[in-house]
Amino acid sequence: MKKSQTFSLLKRKDFRLLFYVQVFSSFGNWLDVLAINALISFQWGLDLRANAASVIVMFLPYIVIGPLSSVWIDRYDQKKVMMFSTLFHVMVIFGFFVAPNIWVLLALIFLKSSLASVFEPARQSSNRKVVPNEYMAEASSLSQIVLNVTKIVAPLMGGVLLVMTKPQMIFLIEGIMYGMALMLIFKLPAFEKGGQENCIAKASYWVDFKEGFSLIRSNRLLLSAISITSISMFINFLYDSFFAPLSLSLGLDKTGYGLISSALGAGSVTGSFLCGTYTNWRKNPLRFMSIGRIISGVFMLLVGLGCYGFVHGNLLFWMIVFAMIGCVGTALFVPYGFILTTETPANMLGRISAFSTAIQSASSLLAPVIGSLLGKWLCLASVFTVSAVTFILLGSVSFFITNNKKSYEKKNLVKEQA
């Protein structure tokens, strides 16, 4: 098994700057999750419809604004795109600080997500320009580590701050985070525009827009990776909001709920690190993703059987199970990021990234509704059991339709030699 140094990329100044830009922007992006809900529910005393509306306007820009803006992201200087989107981010967060009512807050949430849907494809395109091909696996691993850590730490910190202060103070800290990201972006060098002149010379915006879909359709590996990831995200969100009642079904209390959630997050971070350290999966990342789906499904099946009462375990047992689900689950996202960046020309990465994010965001909106209906129609255990079986089927099918390993290795070797 080939071993590499996951953090060796941080020795490269340009990547190090982009890495810390992601750290601060991702931390700011997740810091206000609890603060927004606290502002709506506790400070303004609104009902669940307002909370649901905030979730909808948060995901909608990724489905609409991201893909529509992706052509311009590919055409123009990604450093400037990141700079202006982050600057406006700071201004929007200041709006959160003084928002007088729910309607203004919803508009600001929509603007914030719109800016994020522009920023992230630009950041990924910038990464592609500063990371050599032989380090793409490590870059994808580091990016996933940042995402997993900030998704855990930032809301936790936001929750602690809510105990001590008002939601507005959290928005202020969030604005400072984006401000620090902005200062780092200023230090980035001007990126080469390799291939972008061709984009500008295209006949129309829609020609460039359709070109992204054409690439996805014509590239079997890219299409398969996006399909597997999108379906997996849909399955994840079927059960993602049911961990609290799940804990009760497994015979755990509030402490157990917190610990299995922490184990899931810790497993995700560990898996991201291991995928960046041991990179032999690069020879056939799609098959690696498929095996990860099968193993995740097996562990998830244990959870479903535990809800039915067929599997019994103490707190430690369930912490190990969820840690494994999180760890093996990363067998999807790190290789997916690797495929996305290596199979997409640098001048089209903004479009491909935005299109794939749009599909995943649509899953984030639809799956919880279907999951809740499934839980009411059958039972909570059925949600986890159906998710587990679907994971196993998805992994099995994708495993058998994966490109022949030798042909992929040959293709990869030709790319590296070129």
Side-chain angles (χ1 to χ4, degrees):
M1 182 176 288
K2 182 180 177 181
K3 182 177 179 179
S4 63
Q5 298 299 320
T6 305
F7 295 98
S8 60
L9 259 179
L10 295 176
K11 297 177 182 178
R12 306 176 70 92
K13 181 181 178 181
D14 293 348
F15 177 81
R16 186 168 64 249
L17 286 171
L18 275 172
F19 174 80
Y20 288 122
V21 166
Q22 184 188 5
V23 169
F24 286 117
S25 61
S26 184
F27 197 95
N29 200 39
W30 289 101
L31 184 65
D32 64 10
V33 172
L34 294 179
I36 289 174
N37 286 298
L39 184 64
I40 293 172
S41 300
F42 300 122
Q43 193 160 321
W44 289 342
L46 301 177
D47 59 24
L48 291 177
R49 290 177 296 177
N51 297 92
S54 69
V55 173
I56 293 172
V57 298
M58 180 175 66
F59 282 111
L60 194 59
Y62 291 101
I63 301 172
V64 180
I65 304 298
L68 290 176
S69 63
S70 62
V71 172
W72 291 299
I73 295 171
D74 280 333
R75 286 182 177 184
Y76 302 121
D77 187 341
Q78 279 85 36
K79 177 182 176 179
K80 291 181 179 178
V81 172
M82 289 191 295
M83 188 183 303
F84 285 109
S85 62
T86 306
L87 176 61
F88 286 120
H89 238 132
V90 175
M91 297 168 64
V92 169
I93 298 305
F94 176 75
F96 279 175
F97 189 79
V98 297
N101 55 55
I102 183 63
W103 301 110
V104 174
L105 180 65
L106 291 176
L108 291 170
I109 294 173
F110 183 86
L111 286 173
K112 178 190 172 184
S113 292
S114 297
L115 293 168
S117 71
V118 171
F119 173 87
E120 189 56 25
R123 185 193 64 79
Q124 290 196 32
S125 294
S126 301
N127 251 359
R128 183 71 176 83
K129 293 176 181 177
V130 301
V131 178
N133 286 337
E134 62 269 23
Y135 285 101
M136 281 299 170
E138 290 81 357
S140 179
S141 171
L142 285 170
S143 179
Q144 197 61 40
I145 288 173
V146 170
L147 180 61
N148 288 327
V149 170
T150 52
K151 283 174 68 175
I152 298 168
V153 176
L156 179 62
M157 180 178 173
V160 172
L161 289 172
L162 275 176
V163 177
M164 301 183 293
T165 186
K166 294 181 178 180
Q168 284 82 354
M169 186 56 64
I170 298 175
F171 298 141
L172 180 61
I173 296 173
E174 182 181 1
I176 293 173
M177 291 291 178
Y178 282 116
M180 295 176 74
L182 181 61
M183 288 189 291
L184 290 171
I185 293 172
F186 275 115
K187 293 184 178 181
L188 288 170
F191 297 123
E192 294 181 5
K193 296 184 179 182
Q196 291 183 6
E197 293 82 0
N198 294 331
C199 289
I200 298 173
K202 293 283 186 182
S204 72
Y205 165 91
W206 293 110
V207 171
D208 283 356
F209 186 81
K210 294 175 183 178
E211 188 179 27
F213 287 105
S214 298
L215 175 65
I216 295 173
R217 286 198 306 268
S218 62
N219 188 313
R220 183 182 177 186
L221 183 61
L222 192 59
L223 177 62
S224 298
I226 292 175
S227 300
I228 293 173
T229 304
S230 300
I231 296 172
S232 297
M233 287 291 289
F234 180 84
I235 299 170
N236 281 335
F237 278 100
L238 282 176
Y239 61 80
D240 192 61
S241 59
F242 300 145
F243 275 85
L246 168 68
S247 302
L248 296 175
S249 295
L250 296 177
L252 305 176
D253 55 14
K254 290 182 180 179
T255 302
Y257 165 58
L259 288 175
I260 63 171
S261 299
S262 299
L264 183 69
S268 299
V269 174
T270 302
S272 300
F273 175 77
L274 291 175
C275 281
T277 303
Y278 300 97
T279 58
N280 200 48
W281 53 263
R282 290 187 297 183
K283 295 177 181 178
N284 199 323
L286 198 60
R287 183 158 294 181
F288 185 76
M289 292 168 66
S290 302
I291 294 172
R293 295 306 86 203
I294 296 172
I295 298 175
S296 290
V298 171
F299 280 104
M300 186 60 68
L301 190 58
L302 287 176
V303 176
L305 293 175
C307 290
Y308 280 120
F310 295 120
V311 174
H312 301 280
N314 56 21
L315 176 59
L316 179 60
F317 172 80
W318 291 117
M319 286 180 64
I320 293 173
V321 168
F322 280 97
M324 290 303 300
I325 290 173
C327 184
V328 179
T330 310
L332 172 73
F333 293 104
V334 174
Y336 168 69
F338 173 78
I339 292 174
L340 200 70
T341 51
T342 56
E343 292 295 314
T344 305
N347 65 304
M348 296 181 66
L349 190 54
R351 274 165 284 177
I352 303 304
S353 174
F355 293 159
S356 62
T357 301
I359 298 172
Q360 294 169 32
S361 297
S363 300
S364 303
L365 284 176
L366 293 174
V369 177
I370 296 174
S372 63
L373 292 174
L374 183 62
K376 289 181 180 179
W377 179 40
L378 297 175
C379 61
L380 179 66
S382 68
V383 178
F384 289 91
T385 305
V386 169
S387 298
V389 172
T390 309
F391 268 141
I392 294 171
L393 289 175
L394 174 64
S396 301
V397 172
S398 61
F399 181 85
F400 287 111
I401 65 172
T402 299
N403 289 338
N404 181 269
K405 182 177 179 180
K406 291 183 179 180
S407 66
Y408 182 84
E409 288 177 354
K410 183 177 180 181
K411 177 183 177 182
N412 199 43
L413 180 63
V414 171
K415 279 189 174 183
E416 290 180 357
Q417 290 176 345

